[in-house]
Amino acid sequence: MSTTHPDTVTWNGPAFDEIVTNDAGRPVLFTNARVLTMDPLIGTLTGADVLLVGALLVGVGPGIVTAAQDDNAIVVDCTGMTVVPAVVDTVALAGGRGHRAEYVATLTPGNTGDLLVVPDELAPDVAGAMATLLTRPEEVRALVANGKPVLWAGTDAPVRPTTPEAGIPAAQDLTGSPRVGIWIDENDFLHQELTADGRYDETRGDRPHAYEGRYWIDGDRIDYFDDLGFWAFGEFRGDELHHAGYAMRLGARSGS
């Protein structure tokens, strides 16, 4: 999307250096900005601050900067800048959310610290800020995901995640994984066998091999790519595997 970050950062360089070496978990405060929260209760704020602690947005509004020294916060001066959510809830923008609690991407305390910092003149609204990110990324002052910089001063942050390669990934070797085996729902209807070579075989009632394909595990998430061509997912929650409305437990180890 942009070039590798230069050695000298021209926008809030000292603060950026502190952020990328922030091993002590210091708060990061974006201060004195116009903030389009997209939260219907909070609305748009001017001369306001956005406080991140780790991946979490913990405060928004004027006056937070007064405690910056007390909290040993890293302060990012956003004078002349607009801060918007980096992940946009287009349904909310179109007026399609009935309750505040349904808004999925706002600069609301308690939400994930995903934000975009753009000069005021390039961010008349959220859509304008997004257009700047997509068409003129060199003008972006900061793009932050989960509290960590992705872009800074128009170029890639050195600590940004690496984008996964496009295409279907190679099969995982899951030999010895405690998640390999036959998962069975409480009604003994769904049997889903996960094998160590990254294949699954799903039996539904009296239909053996109803679905077969490949799977990948990333943390507590499992992605399925069926031989029929569709994608699906599941989630490991403790000793249960949740998938498509079913809660399964491990009934037997694969191959036993």
Side-chain angles (χ1 to χ4, degrees):
M1 184 175 186
S2 55
T3 59
T4 303
H5 213 288
D7 294 334
T8 302
V9 178
T10 57
W11 185 75
N12 278 286
F16 177 74
D17 291 340
E18 290 184 282
I19 291 170
V20 297
T21 58
N22 183 20
D23 297 327
R26 295 170 59 193
V28 179
L29 182 70
F30 294 83
T31 187
N32 198 34
R34 172 174 169 255
V35 182
L36 309 184
T37 69
M38 302 313 298
D39 181 313
L41 178 63
I42 301 173
T44 295
L45 305 169
T46 57
D49 308 328
V50 178
L51 180 62
L52 305 179
V53 176
L56 197 65
L57 193 159
V58 300
V60 61
I64 301 176
V65 70
T66 58
Q69 187 172 1
D70 297 339
D71 299 333
N72 193 29
I74 300 169
V75 177
V76 181
D77 182 10
C78 292
T79 302
M81 300 293 155
T82 293
V83 179
V84 304
V87 180
V88 177
D89 186 347
T90 55
V91 176
L93 287 175
R97 301 286 188 202
H99 301 280
R100 178 170 175 254
E102 296 173 350
Y103 281 56
V104 297
T106 60
L107 296 182
T108 303
N111 283 357
T112 301
D114 295 333
L115 58 85
L116 177 63
V117 183
V118 178
D120 289 342
E121 63 273 18
L122 299 177
D125 49 28
V126 172
M130 287 293 161
T132 298
L133 172 63
L134 296 175
T135 63
R136 302 169 63 182
E138 69 279 1
E139 300 289 351
V140 170
R141 295 299 182 268
L143 174 63
V144 175
N146 291 317
K148 297 181 179 180
V150 175
L151 294 178
W152 197 276
T155 54
D156 290 341
V159 293
R160 65 169 292 162
T162 302
T163 303
E165 293 184 6
I168 298 172
Q172 293 174 310
D173 180 1
L174 295 165
T175 302
S177 170
R179 289 168 171 172
V180 167
I182 301 173
W183 295 81
I184 304 170
D185 82 303
E186 60 182 1
N187 296 316
D188 199 30
F189 171 78
L190 188 73
H191 291 212
Q192 188 178 94
E193 182 177 8
L194 305 180
T195 59
D197 61 354
R199 295 281 299 177
Y200 69 90
D201 186 342
E202 188 170 291
T203 295
R204 289 173 166 254
D206 59 358
R207 289 196 298 135
H209 316 302
Y211 294 115
E212 298 176 87
R214 300 170 64 180
Y215 76 91
W216 297 265
I217 294 175
D218 184 2
D220 289 331
R221 178 187 174 98
I222 178 170
D223 286 281
Y224 306 91
F225 180 46
D226 197 82
D227 290 344
L228 295 175
F230 68 82
W231 291 84
F233 92 105
E235 184 180 19
F236 294 98
R237 303 177 191 169
D239 58 359
E240 291 185 337
L241 170 55
H242 291 251
H243 164 67
Y246 293 92
M248 297 171 281
R249 290 178 178 270
L250 197 60
R253 295 293 177 190
S254 181
S256 61

